[in-house]
């Protein structure tokens, strides 16, 4: 498949110069090439030379993903793959930063203007404490991270960087509005639970609100809140929602301990949040979901399925994010028993399960999103190391007892 | 490669300056250019082909591993052919 997906620009994204656009396209093309042209070579290299080498030296076969890593780290082919993958990640952020710096004043003004159009609330408290698992390093190598500089109270640049950078990172698989995850979960709800009409919805770790907005589109009467520990993220999210003509509330809050009252939401969701927390924070997030949900309310987390049903080589491939993409909790989170954790938080044991929410990417048209190319993305087999699991997003679902 | 990129950038700059002398503002027209799907596909195909050429050697390693091609198997093939 030739990936020609293009992001839909909006009022709070910069307009790249032709040179910047070419650099950004190259970063996207390189990612595509790595996943289609280099990733498939890892298995034969492992089976053909890395595993035999390990067996000769250790006197036994590699038994788990850690052994496989030991066998592979010294292999030139793997080193090429890992290095180019890392470089592509750094290149993509770098390719976006110039556009943002060039338009920084205009973007700040556009954010203020579009934020004013959003009738939803924006809460950014003073002296907010960003948890260490977010502030300690720049997650997925994004310069500045989610929280940025607390001395820049009006800044939105990191939100812009995330919005554009994540589109390139996902190679457009999340649709022209970056909203495939949220849209896929909403579609799942509409299809599986057509009578479920949530009046109040909370999106945890919403970053720029890209996954939050489909909930407002498809449940227009609902009051929607998106929260994130990154101040630049929620400021930008509020403006971005305004640019799309949607009234959505955003707040800088920690999902472990929100300011919301008990039993006040019908639906609590998150999209690729949990793997960016920590071993201590994750159970606290699930307990907080339980606290703020009304009896009978639903919790849905679209994130990473556990390692337990995957073979060690697949685990090894997926775990590369931990080692080469500043995703410190990526592998450890997949070792946790998420179902048990949800039950422990108080959710109805019978309701806790994993399921698949098929990708919504087929709904888009134009800007490179043809029926064939979207189908190629949505109907892939699962391949570890490719962006997004083929077939759909894995969701952890649980219901608070009525 | 940086040398070639530098040469190409200079050539593009020279082309735009020559066009400007003939009252064609190529920079502005390029800035305003909207690529259709056919152009996007042509560019992407070119980039992927270039990357395939760049990574030819490393991909060859994986192809050899997939085909279980080793130095020993190569010599064994030579011996087998010599004996026939």
């Amino acid at each position: 498949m030739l990936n020609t997906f293009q992001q839909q620009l909006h009022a709070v994204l910069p307009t790249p110069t032709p040179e910047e656009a070419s650099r950004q396209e190259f970063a996207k093309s390189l990612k595509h090439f790595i996943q289609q042209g280099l990733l498939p070579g890892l298995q034969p290299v492992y089976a053909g030379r890395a595993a035999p080498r390990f067996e000769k030296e250790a006197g036994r076969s590699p038994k788990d993903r850690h052994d496989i890593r030991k066998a592979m780290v010294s292999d030139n082919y793997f080193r090429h793959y890992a290095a180019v993958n890392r470089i592509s990640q750094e290149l993509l952020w770098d390719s976006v930063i110039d556009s943002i710096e060039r338009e920084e004043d205009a973007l700040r003004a556009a954010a203020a203007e579009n934020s004013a159009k959003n009738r939803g609330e924006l809460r950014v408290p003073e002296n907010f404490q960003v948890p260490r698992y977010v502030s300690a390093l720049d997650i997925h190598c994004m310069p500045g991270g989610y929280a940025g500089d607390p001395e820049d109270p009006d800044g939105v640049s990191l939100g812009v960087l995330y919005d554009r950078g994540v589109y390139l990172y996902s190679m457009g698989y999340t649709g022209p509005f970056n909203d495939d995850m949220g849209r896929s979960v909403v579609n799942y709800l509409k299809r599986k639970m057509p009578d479920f009409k949530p009046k109040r919805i909370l999106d945890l770790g919403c970053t720029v609100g890209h996954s939050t907005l489909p909930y407002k589109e498809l449940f227009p009467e609902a009051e929607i809140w998106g929260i994130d520990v990154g101040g630049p993220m929620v400021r930008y999210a509020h403006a971005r929602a305004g640019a799309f003509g949607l009234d959505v509330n955003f707040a800088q809050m920690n999902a472990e301990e929100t300011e919301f009252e008990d039993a006040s939401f019908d639906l609590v969701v998150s999209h690729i949040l949990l793997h960016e927390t920590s071993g201590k924070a994750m159970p606290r997030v699930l307990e907080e979901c339980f606290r703020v949900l009304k009896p009978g309310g639903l919790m849905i987390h679209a994130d990473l399925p556990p390692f337990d049903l995957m073979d060690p080589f697949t685990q090894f491939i997926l775990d590369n994010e931990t080692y080469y993409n500043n995703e410190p909790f990526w592998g450890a989170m997949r070792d946790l028993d998420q179902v048990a954790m949800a039950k422990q938080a108080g959710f109805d044991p019978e309701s806790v399960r994993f399921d698949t929410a098929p990708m919504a990417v087929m709904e888009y048209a134009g800007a490179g999103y043809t029926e064939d190319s979207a189908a190629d993305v949505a109907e892939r087999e699962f391949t570890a190391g490719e962006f997004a699991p083929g077939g759909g997003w894995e969701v952890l679902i649980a219901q608070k007892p009525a | 490669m940086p040398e070639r990129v530098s040469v190409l950038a200079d050539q593009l700059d020279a082309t735009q300056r020559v066009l400007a002398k003939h009252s064609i503002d190529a920079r502005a027209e390029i800035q305003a250019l909207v690529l259709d799907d056919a152009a996007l596909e042509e560019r992407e195909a070119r980039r992927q082909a270039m990357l395939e050429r760049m990574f030819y050697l490393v991909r060859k390693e994986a192809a050899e591993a997939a085909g279980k091609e080793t130095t020993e198997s190569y010599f064994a093939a030579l011996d087998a052919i010599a004996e026939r």
Side-chain angles (χ1 to χ4, degrees):
Chain A
M1 148 198 167
L2 276 179
N3 180 344
T4 58
F5 298 147
Q6 300 294 303
Q7 186 172 17
Q8 184 71 48
L9 298 185
H10 54 71
V12 275
L13 274 177
T15 304
T17 65
E19 183 181 326
E20 289 162 359
S22 289
R23 289 173 58 205
Q24 292 169 16
E25 278 299 304
F26 178 78
K28 180 155 75 74
S29 299
L30 182 56
K31 286 219 163 272
H32 180 84
F33 177 78
I34 292 164
Q35 294 181 20
Q36 302 302 315
L38 298 182
L39 173 67
L42 291 174
Q43 172 68 48
V45 162
Y46 170 66
R49 66 188 194 197
R53 195 165 50 223
F54 181 94
E55 284 165 16
K56 196 173 171 186
E57 289 170 7
R60 61 176 175 81
S61 304
K63 66 178 187 303
D64 56 23
R65 72 178 194 273
H66 304 295
D67 276 352
I68 295 174
R69 183 163 304 284
K70 284 178 195 155
M72 290 290 270
V73 287
S74 60
D75 189 277
N76 277 339
Y77 187 87
F78 176 70
R79 287 179 166 187
H80 256 102
Y81 165 80
V84 178
N85 212 10
R86 170 67 179 231
I87 288 164
S88 75
Q89 188 72 357
E90 294 180 4
L91 266 182
L92 88 83
W93 298 118
D94 197 45
S95 73
V96 178
I97 285 171
D98 284 355
S99 299
I100 297 171
E101 290 186 342
R102 188 173 44 74
E103 291 192 13
E104 188 169 5
D105 291 343
L107 287 167
R108 198 178 282 243
E113 183 185 331
N114 284 282
S115 202
K117 292 178 188 168
N118 181 352
R119 288 177 294 177
E121 192 178 339
L122 174 62
R123 285 190 208 168
V124 181
E126 288 184 13
N127 303 319
F128 180 82
Q129 289 297 311
V130 177
R132 189 170 183 279
Y133 50 81
V134 169
S135 64
L137 41 77
D138 291 347
I139 289 180
H140 41 61
C141 305
M142 186 175 101
Y146 288 114
D149 181 2
E151 302 300 312
D152 183 16
D154 301 320
V156 292
S157 293
L158 288 171
V160 186
L161 181 59
Y162 184 88
D163 196 1
R164 180 62 182 148
V166 161
Y167 183 84
L168 300 173
Y169 174 68
S170 67
M171 301 169 300
Y173 287 15
T174 50
F177 304 103
N178 261 343
D179 64 359
D180 188 90
M181 287 194 87
R183 195 168 292 281
S184 301
V185 175
V186 175
N187 285 350
Y188 175 90
L189 284 168
K190 291 268 181 182
R191 194 172 51 255
K192 297 264 186 171
M193 302 167 206
D195 297 329
F196 183 55
K197 308 269 190 250
K199 294 187 179 69
R200 203 162 183 242
I201 301 170
L202 174 60
D203 182 14
L204 304 172
C206 67
T207 61
V208 297
H210 52 318
S211 296
T212 321
L213 300 191
Y215 293 88
K216 188 63 181 175
E217 282 179 42
L218 291 156
F219 296 112
E221 304 304 319
E223 177 188 337
I224 316 276
W225 280 88
I227 66 164
D228 198 274
V229 296
M233 298 296 137
V234 292
R235 283 192 293 270
Y236 179 77
H238 194 261
R240 188 179 184 277
F244 283 103
L246 296 170
D247 298 323
V248 179
N249 308 281
F250 289 96
Q252 186 180 25
M253 280 190 211
N254 187 333
E256 295 172 67
E257 191 175 15
T258 71
E259 296 169 8
F260 299 112
E261 56 274 39
D262 292 354
S264 57
F265 286 93
D266 304 287
L267 173 64
V268 178
V269 295
S270 79
H271 314 84
I272 49 173
L273 162 72
L274 297 177
H275 76 271
E276 292 186 357
T277 62
S278 72
K280 283 186 182 167
M282 190 171 151
R284 283 168 55 82
V285 171
L286 299 191
E287 286 162 13
E288 183 66 357
C289 291
F290 187 84
R291 184 186 73 77
V292 300
L293 275 172
K294 295 175 188 171
L298 212 55
M299 171 181 85
I300 302 182
H301 297 288
D303 211 297
L304 311 176
F307 274 147
D308 56 2
L309 297 177
M310 300 176 191
D311 66 83
F313 188 78
T314 300
Q315 295 179 23
F316 155 73
I317 296 288
L318 294 171
D319 209 13
N320 282 329
E321 292 288 308
T322 309
Y323 291 87
Y324 306 118
N325 199 21
N326 279 13
E327 292 277 10
F329 192 43
W330 184 280
M333 182 260 196
R334 286 177 184 267
D335 276 333
L336 297 174
D337 186 341
Q338 300 175 44
V339 169
M341 201 181 285
K343 289 177 184 172
Q344 182 67 31
F347 288 94
D348 176 1
E350 296 297 313
S351 73
V352 183
R353 65 194 184 278
F354 276 100
D355 204 348
T356 303
M359 292 181 82
V361 69
M362 297 282 288
E363 294 179 12
Y364 307 114
Y369 290 87
T370 63
E371 196 174 322
D372 286 347
S373 62
D376 279 345
V377 169
E379 294 168 4
R380 288 168 300 149
E381 293 292 319
F382 169 75
T383 303
E386 287 189 4
F387 177 81
W393 302 101
E394 290 294 303
V395 288
L396 174 68
I397 302 178
Q399 188 169 29
K400 186 170 179 174
Chain B
M1 183 172 280
E3 182 203 52
R4 291 305 306 159
V5 172
S6 178
V7 169
L8 282 171
D10 285 353
Q11 284 179 338
L12 179 61
D13 176 66
T15 305
Q16 291 178 353
R17 290 178 191 280
V18 169
L19 289 171
K21 283 188 177 178
H22 295 276
S23 304
I24 298 172
D25 188 351
R27 285 178 204 272
E29 292 202 29
I30 289 169
Q31 177 75 44
L33 182 67
V34 177
L35 300 174
D36 59 18
D37 282 355
L40 290 169
E41 284 182 12
E42 196 176 320
R43 284 190 176 193
E44 179 60 10
R46 173 168 43 75
R47 278 191 294 270
Q48 291 302 322
M50 183 192 71
L51 288 165
E52 280 179 22
R53 289 194 296 277
M54 272 181 69
F55 287 92
Y56 164 74
L57 274 178
V58 72
R59 277 159 53 87
K60 189 161 164 281
E61 277 190 46
E64 287 172 354
K68 298 186 169 50
E69 294 174 21
T70 62
T71 305
E72 291 75 21
S73 68
Y74 180 71
F75 288 146
L78 293 185
D79 292 343
I81 290 167
E83 287 170 10
R84 287 186 67 181

